Amino acid sequence: MSFRIGNGFDVHAFGAGDHVTLGGVRIAHSYGLVAHSDGDVVIHALCDAIFGALALGDIGKHFPPSDERWRDADSRQFLRHAVLLMTQHGYALGNADVTVICESPKIGPHAQAMRENLAADLECELGRISVKATTTEKLGFTGRGEGVAAQACVLLERR
Ligand SMILES: Nc1ccn([C@@H]2O[C@H](COP(=O)(O)O)[C@@H](O)[C@H]2O)c(=O)n1
Ligand SMILES: C[C@@]1(CO)OP(=O)(O)OP(=O)(O)OC[C@H]1O
């Protein structure tokens, strides 16, 4: 069997708002995330991991932040497009592993709902999708509560 691996990383800063959207889950919060789209760093990192595995550039190449079509966009449409390209290139998801990095919100209570959204968009069973979280022990920009980061890695299998 032939495999491809990819990794992705994304950051968005906190700004005015009353919720964040992570892994397609709306989480009530005292801040929002500043972004052209909905600022879903989980999905942006995952898209970049898929694009990277296929050597197809990055999310900004496929969905330029200068394009008004993507203003306040639901990032799940980006992921579904990445999955379409993955399928067209003859690959299916082996597994995906995401780490969310922030002091708050707490991700644990929402991880299962995120996994379910991601598995639906990635057209795979739940057991292939992992969502984890960590703080940075109050160090650095995430530690100061300035924003949320996410990193993702994927393994793609040739169909
Ligand atoms: N935003 C977060 C951060 C962490 N968690 C959970 O807490 C555990 C401990 O985090 P440390 O950074 O102190 O190692 C971590 O393993 C996660 O289970 C979380 O849910 N949301
Ligand atoms: C997702 C896009 C879409 O306009 O904009 P943002 O929501 O700002 O997110 P970013 O992670 O900076 O990726 C760039 C763009 O592709």
mmCIF file of all heavy atoms in Angstrom, residues 22-27 76 107-120 126 131:
data_model
loop_
_atom_site.group_PDB
_atom_site.id
_atom_site.type_symbol
_atom_site.label_atom_id
_atom_site.label_comp_id
_atom_site.label_asym_id
_atom_site.label_seq_id
_atom_site.Cartn_x
_atom_site.Cartn_y
_atom_site.Cartn_z
ATOM 1 N N LEU A 22 -14.370 25.590 16.916
ATOM 2 C CA LEU A 22 -13.207 24.701 16.822
ATOM 3 C C LEU A 22 -13.679 23.304 16.432
ATOM 4 O O LEU A 22 -14.577 22.755 17.092
ATOM 5 C CB LEU A 22 -12.462 24.657 18.164
ATOM 6 C CG LEU A 22 -11.850 25.986 18.618
ATOM 7 C CD1 LEU A 22 -11.328 25.870 20.050
ATOM 8 C CD2 LEU A 22 -10.734 26.425 17.681
ATOM 9 N N GLY A 23 -13.111 22.758 15.384
ATOM 10 C CA GLY A 23 -13.564 21.459 14.902
ATOM 11 C C GLY A 23 -15.032 21.478 14.533
ATOM 12 O O GLY A 23 -15.732 20.464 14.650
ATOM 13 N N GLY A 24 -15.504 22.643 14.105
ATOM 14 C CA GLY A 24 -16.911 22.785 13.721
ATOM 15 C C GLY A 24 -17.863 22.877 14.893
ATOM 16 O O GLY A 24 -19.085 22.905 14.695
ATOM 17 N N VAL A 25 -17.334 22.951 16.118
ATOM 18 C CA VAL A 25 -18.180 23.034 17.319
ATOM 19 C C VAL A 25 -18.164 24.470 17.834
ATOM 20 O O VAL A 25 -17.084 25.050 18.051
ATOM 21 C CB VAL A 25 -17.675 22.082 18.421
ATOM 22 C CG1 VAL A 25 -18.512 22.223 19.682
ATOM 23 C CG2 VAL A 25 -17.684 20.641 17.915
ATOM 24 N N ARG A 26 -19.346 25.036 18.028
ATOM 25 C CA ARG A 26 -19.459 26.393 18.576
ATOM 26 C C ARG A 26 -19.339 26.306 20.098
ATOM 27 O O ARG A 26 -20.150 25.630 20.751
ATOM 28 C CB ARG A 26 -20.802 27.001 18.169
ATOM 29 C CG ARG A 26 -21.000 28.425 18.635
ATOM 30 C CD ARG A 26 -22.403 28.881 18.261
ATOM 31 N NE ARG A 26 -22.721 30.164 18.861
ATOM 32 C CZ ARG A 26 -22.815 31.309 18.205
ATOM 33 N NH1 ARG A 26 -22.641 31.324 16.904
ATOM 34 N NH2 ARG A 26 -23.098 32.423 18.825
ATOM 35 N N ILE A 27 -18.336 26.983 20.656
ATOM 36 C CA ILE A 27 -18.066 26.919 22.088
ATOM 37 C C ILE A 27 -18.209 28.324 22.658
ATOM 38 O O ILE A 27 -17.503 29.255 22.246
ATOM 39 C CB ILE A 27 -16.626 26.410 22.352
ATOM 40 C CG1 ILE A 27 -16.419 25.026 21.718
ATOM 41 C CG2 ILE A 27 -16.337 26.367 23.853
ATOM 42 C CD1 ILE A 27 -14.971 24.538 21.748
ATOM 43 N N ARG A 76 -15.776 24.231 7.611
ATOM 44 C CA ARG A 76 -16.009 22.842 7.221
ATOM 45 C C ARG A 76 -16.094 22.707 5.705
ATOM 46 O O ARG A 76 -15.781 21.652 5.152
ATOM 47 C CB ARG A 76 -17.273 22.300 7.903
ATOM 48 C CG ARG A 76 -17.056 22.140 9.406
ATOM 49 C CD ARG A 76 -18.255 21.563 10.104
ATOM 50 N NE ARG A 76 -18.475 20.150 9.771
ATOM 51 C CZ ARG A 76 -19.461 19.427 10.296
ATOM 52 N NH1 ARG A 76 -20.307 19.974 11.136
ATOM 53 N NH2 ARG A 76 -19.601 18.155 9.952
ATOM 54 N N ILE A 107 -10.945 22.072 26.007
ATOM 55 C CA ILE A 107 -11.330 21.333 24.800
ATOM 56 C C ILE A 107 -11.948 19.984 25.140
ATOM 57 O O ILE A 107 -12.835 19.499 24.422
ATOM 58 C CB ILE A 107 -10.085 21.146 23.903
ATOM 59 C CG1 ILE A 107 -9.500 22.512 23.508
ATOM 60 C CG2 ILE A 107 -10.417 20.303 22.684
ATOM 61 C CD1 ILE A 107 -10.462 23.437 22.799
ATOM 62 N N GLY A 108 -11.494 19.387 26.232
ATOM 63 C CA GLY A 108 -11.926 18.028 26.586
ATOM 64 C C GLY A 108 -13.431 17.804 26.476
ATOM 65 O O GLY A 108 -13.861 16.820 25.843
ATOM 66 N N PRO A 109 -14.243 18.696 27.050
ATOM 67 C CA PRO A 109 -15.697 18.467 26.990
ATOM 68 C C PRO A 109 -16.273 18.516 25.572
ATOM 69 O O PRO A 109 -17.412 18.084 25.360
ATOM 70 C CB PRO A 109 -16.265 19.629 27.835
ATOM 71 C CG PRO A 109 -15.130 20.079 28.701
ATOM 72 C CD PRO A 109 -13.891 19.842 27.894
ATOM 73 N N HIS A 110 -15.514 19.056 24.621
ATOM 74 C CA HIS A 110 -16.011 19.223 23.250
ATOM 75 C C HIS A 110 -15.299 18.300 22.252
ATOM 76 O O HIS A 110 -15.632 18.308 21.067
ATOM 77 C CB HIS A 110 -15.828 20.679 22.810
ATOM 78 C CG HIS A 110 -16.427 21.669 23.757
ATOM 79 N ND1 HIS A 110 -17.783 21.885 23.837
ATOM 80 C CD2 HIS A 110 -15.858 22.460 24.703
ATOM 81 C CE1 HIS A 110 -18.028 22.788 24.778
ATOM 82 N NE2 HIS A 110 -16.874 23.152 25.319
ATOM 83 N N ALA A 111 -14.311 17.555 22.732
ATOM 84 C CA ALA A 111 -13.473 16.773 21.807
ATOM 85 C C ALA A 111 -14.291 15.734 21.037
ATOM 86 O O ALA A 111 -14.061 15.518 19.836
ATOM 87 C CB ALA A 111 -12.328 16.112 22.571
ATOM 88 N N GLN A 112 -15.233 15.109 21.714
ATOM 89 C CA GLN A 112 -16.017 14.067 21.033
ATOM 90 C C GLN A 112 -16.864 14.670 19.901
ATOM 91 O O GLN A 112 -16.923 14.113 18.796
ATOM 92 C CB GLN A 112 -16.910 13.341 22.049
ATOM 93 C CG GLN A 112 -17.751 12.232 21.470
ATOM 94 C CD GLN A 112 -16.943 11.014 21.031
ATOM 95 O OE1 GLN A 112 -15.725 10.947 21.248
ATOM 96 N NE2 GLN A 112 -17.596 10.071 20.391
ATOM 97 N N ALA A 113 -17.485 15.814 20.168
ATOM 98 C CA ALA A 113 -18.302 16.465 19.123
ATOM 99 C C ALA A 113 -17.420 16.891 17.953
ATOM 100 O O ALA A 113 -17.824 16.791 16.785
ATOM 101 C CB ALA A 113 -19.043 17.658 19.712
ATOM 102 N N MET A 114 -16.211 17.373 18.255
ATOM 103 C CA MET A 114 -15.288 17.737 17.169
ATOM 104 C C MET A 114 -14.930 16.502 16.345
ATOM 105 O O MET A 114 -14.929 16.549 15.104
ATOM 106 C CB MET A 114 -14.000 18.339 17.750
ATOM 107 C CG MET A 114 -14.191 19.685 18.398
ATOM 108 S SD MET A 114 -12.590 20.322 18.950
ATOM 109 C CE MET A 114 -13.143 21.524 20.155
ATOM 110 N N ARG A 115 -14.619 15.396 17.036
ATOM 111 C CA ARG A 115 -14.261 14.164 16.323
ATOM 112 C C ARG A 115 -15.395 13.733 15.398
ATOM 113 O O ARG A 115 -15.158 13.295 14.263
ATOM 114 C CB ARG A 115 -13.953 13.050 17.318
ATOM 115 C CG ARG A 115 -12.685 13.260 18.128
ATOM 116 C CD ARG A 115 -12.496 12.121 19.114
ATOM 117 N NE ARG A 115 -12.245 10.867 18.440
ATOM 118 C CZ ARG A 115 -12.675 9.674 18.863
ATOM 119 N NH1 ARG A 115 -13.414 9.578 19.947
ATOM 120 N NH2 ARG A 115 -12.393 8.584 18.188
ATOM 121 N N GLU A 116 -16.625 13.852 15.884
ATOM 122 C CA GLU A 116 -17.775 13.434 15.068
ATOM 123 C C GLU A 116 -17.905 14.313 13.826
ATOM 124 O O GLU A 116 -18.151 13.809 12.718
ATOM 125 C CB GLU A 116 -19.052 13.467 15.918
ATOM 126 C CG GLU A 116 -19.081 12.324 16.926
ATOM 127 C CD GLU A 116 -20.204 12.415 17.941
ATOM 128 O OE1 GLU A 116 -21.067 13.316 17.804
ATOM 129 O OE2 GLU A 116 -20.212 11.595 18.876
ATOM 130 N N ASN A 117 -17.725 15.635 13.984
ATOM 131 C CA ASN A 117 -17.773 16.534 12.815
ATOM 132 C C ASN A 117 -16.677 16.191 11.822
ATOM 133 O O ASN A 117 -16.903 16.129 10.609
ATOM 134 C CB ASN A 117 -17.582 17.985 13.260
ATOM 135 C CG ASN A 117 -18.814 18.562 13.935
ATOM 136 O OD1 ASN A 117 -19.898 18.032 13.795
ATOM 137 N ND2 ASN A 117 -18.624 19.658 14.654
ATOM 138 N N LEU A 118 -15.465 16.002 12.341
ATOM 139 C CA LEU A 118 -14.320 15.755 11.452
ATOM 140 C C LEU A 118 -14.471 14.415 10.736
ATOM 141 O O LEU A 118 -14.195 14.306 9.531
ATOM 142 C CB LEU A 118 -13.012 15.803 12.242
ATOM 143 C CG LEU A 118 -12.726 17.135 12.954
ATOM 144 C CD1 LEU A 118 -11.429 17.057 13.751
ATOM 145 C CD2 LEU A 118 -12.683 18.296 11.972
ATOM 146 N N ALA A 119 -14.935 13.391 11.459
ATOM 147 C CA ALA A 119 -15.123 12.072 10.831
ATOM 148 C C ALA A 119 -16.182 12.152 9.721
ATOM 149 O O ALA A 119 -16.023 11.543 8.662
ATOM 150 C CB ALA A 119 -15.526 11.038 11.883
ATOM 151 N N ALA A 120 -17.234 12.937 9.964
ATOM 152 C CA ALA A 120 -18.280 13.090 8.934
ATOM 153 C C ALA A 120 -17.683 13.743 7.688
ATOM 154 O O ALA A 120 -17.897 13.275 6.564
ATOM 155 C CB ALA A 120 -19.434 13.918 9.485
ATOM 156 N N LEU A 126 -15.112 7.066 13.228
ATOM 157 C CA LEU A 126 -14.659 7.899 14.348
ATOM 158 C C LEU A 126 -13.286 7.494 14.877
ATOM 159 O O LEU A 126 -12.478 8.344 15.277
ATOM 160 C CB LEU A 126 -15.708 7.774 15.462
ATOM 161 C CG LEU A 126 -15.729 8.803 16.563
ATOM 162 C CD1 LEU A 126 -15.927 10.200 16.001
ATOM 163 C CD2 LEU A 126 -16.838 8.458 17.553
ATOM 164 N N VAL A 131 -8.633 13.992 18.633
ATOM 165 C CA VAL A 131 -8.539 15.411 18.999
ATOM 166 C C VAL A 131 -8.054 15.487 20.444
ATOM 167 O O VAL A 131 -8.702 14.948 21.345
ATOM 168 C CB VAL A 131 -9.888 16.139 18.861
ATOM 169 C CG1 VAL A 131 -9.779 17.571 19.388
ATOM 170 C CG2 VAL A 131 -10.361 16.150 17.414
#
